[in-house]
Amino acid sequence: MGLLEDKALVEAALFVSGRPLSVKELSKALGIKSLDYLEKLIELIAAEYAERKSAIEVVKVLGDKYVMQVKQEYSQRVIHLMPRPDLRTGELKTLALIAYLQPIEQSKIIKLRGSQAYEHIRKLTEMGLIYAEPYERTKLLGTTQKFAELYGFPENDPAIIKEAFKKVVHAEYSDLIAKLEGKAGDESTETEGDSSESDGTS
């Protein structure tokens, strides 16, 4: 394909993903091998949105990822129109803990929530509500800009989000917080390939 077609394809990928994507992820998904070329395409797309003063922007986040999102000055005015994610109780519980404890190692979330949390984290990541970055032998989890927009926060500021979730987490999940504090020094290795996953309703 030519430049225009490739640029349109990258723009479509950023639009439908609803979450930050790395250049490597885009390369694998779209079959465009040159990472430098992909970077240039993203820069072109970002410049076009900026030039026409669109309410949409393409920005670099989380170090090396790009996301297409509504600008902050507009997101708060249309937040009520955004569909809330369809999450089950177990998934919401895992999300609340990640929001409150972020940045938090996946291994600690698994200790708190059990092996079903692997599936929760996978779904939350796919929905763009959290990020999962490689960290030593596990992953580091935290909320994204999309999470902030959906739940009415002016920006994805961990300090603000953690404070907002403090009362909820301590009231509803005090047992889990106590469990976390009790195991603060326990750094036993998690098993990423754990296949014993429940239906996620706990």
Side-chain angles (χ1 to χ4, degrees):
M1 292 192 293
L3 174 64
L4 291 178
E5 291 85 355
D6 287 343
K7 183 164 66 68
L9 183 60
V10 173
E11 183 177 12
L14 291 170
F15 176 80
V16 302
S17 69
R19 65 181 178 87
L21 294 172
S22 68
V23 176
K24 288 184 178 179
E25 285 180 287
L26 284 167
S27 174
K28 183 178 180 180
L30 305 180
I32 299 176
K33 294 183 179 180
S34 173
L35 302 186
D36 288 338
Y37 178 55
L38 271 171
E39 288 263 18
K40 293 288 189 233
L41 292 176
I42 296 170
E43 289 172 5
L44 283 172
I45 295 167
E48 288 178 1
Y49 278 100
E51 185 177 349
R52 63 176 183 256
K53 302 187 185 304
S54 171
I56 307 297
E57 63 182 354
V58 175
V59 294
K60 196 171 188 177
V61 297
L62 304 176
D64 65 343
K65 295 190 175 186
Y66 292 90
V67 64
M68 179 179 287
Q69 63 187 25
V70 178
K71 289 180 179 177
Q72 184 178 322
E73 59 263 40
Y74 297 104
S75 64
Q76 293 304 301
R77 298 176 64 180
V78 298
I79 187 69
H80 60 289
L81 298 175
M82 297 178 70
R84 287 300 178 98
D86 182 19
L87 297 174
R88 293 182 293 181
T89 302
E91 294 160 349
L92 285 169
K93 198 168 186 177
T94 298
L95 178 58
L97 284 170
I98 292 170
Y100 175 64
L101 298 170
Q102 67 176 308
I104 178 73
E105 293 96 330
Q106 176 172 280
S107 55
K108 291 183 178 178
I109 293 295
I110 300 304
K111 288 176 186 176
L112 292 170
R113 300 287 294 120
S115 61
Q116 74 269 13
Y118 283 118
E119 180 62 24
H120 298 172
I121 291 166
R122 182 193 65 77
K123 181 175 179 179
L124 294 170
T125 303
E126 288 181 351
M127 295 177 73
L129 297 177
I130 65 170
Y131 64 82
E133 295 293 319
Y135 177 74
E136 296 181 351
R137 300 184 68 178
T138 181
K139 294 177 182 177
L140 201 61
L141 310 176
T143 58
T144 64
Q145 180 62 30
K146 182 176 180 179
F147 169 91
E149 292 173 358
L150 283 172
Y151 289 94
F153 293 98
E155 58 184 306
N156 188 40
D157 184 331
I160 295 174
I161 293 171
K162 289 168 78 169
E163 183 62 28
F165 275 81
K166 184 176 182 179
K167 289 183 179 180
V168 174
V169 170
H170 276 272
E172 297 293 329
Y173 316 131
S174 57
D175 57 328
L176 295 182
I177 296 300
K179 185 178 177 182
L180 177 67
E181 292 173 348
K183 291 190 175 183
D186 181 5
E187 296 296 332
S188 60
T189 304
E190 67 170 317
T191 304
E192 292 289 350
D194 194 327
S195 60
S196 57
E197 297 179 347
S198 73
D199 62 4
T201 56
S202 63

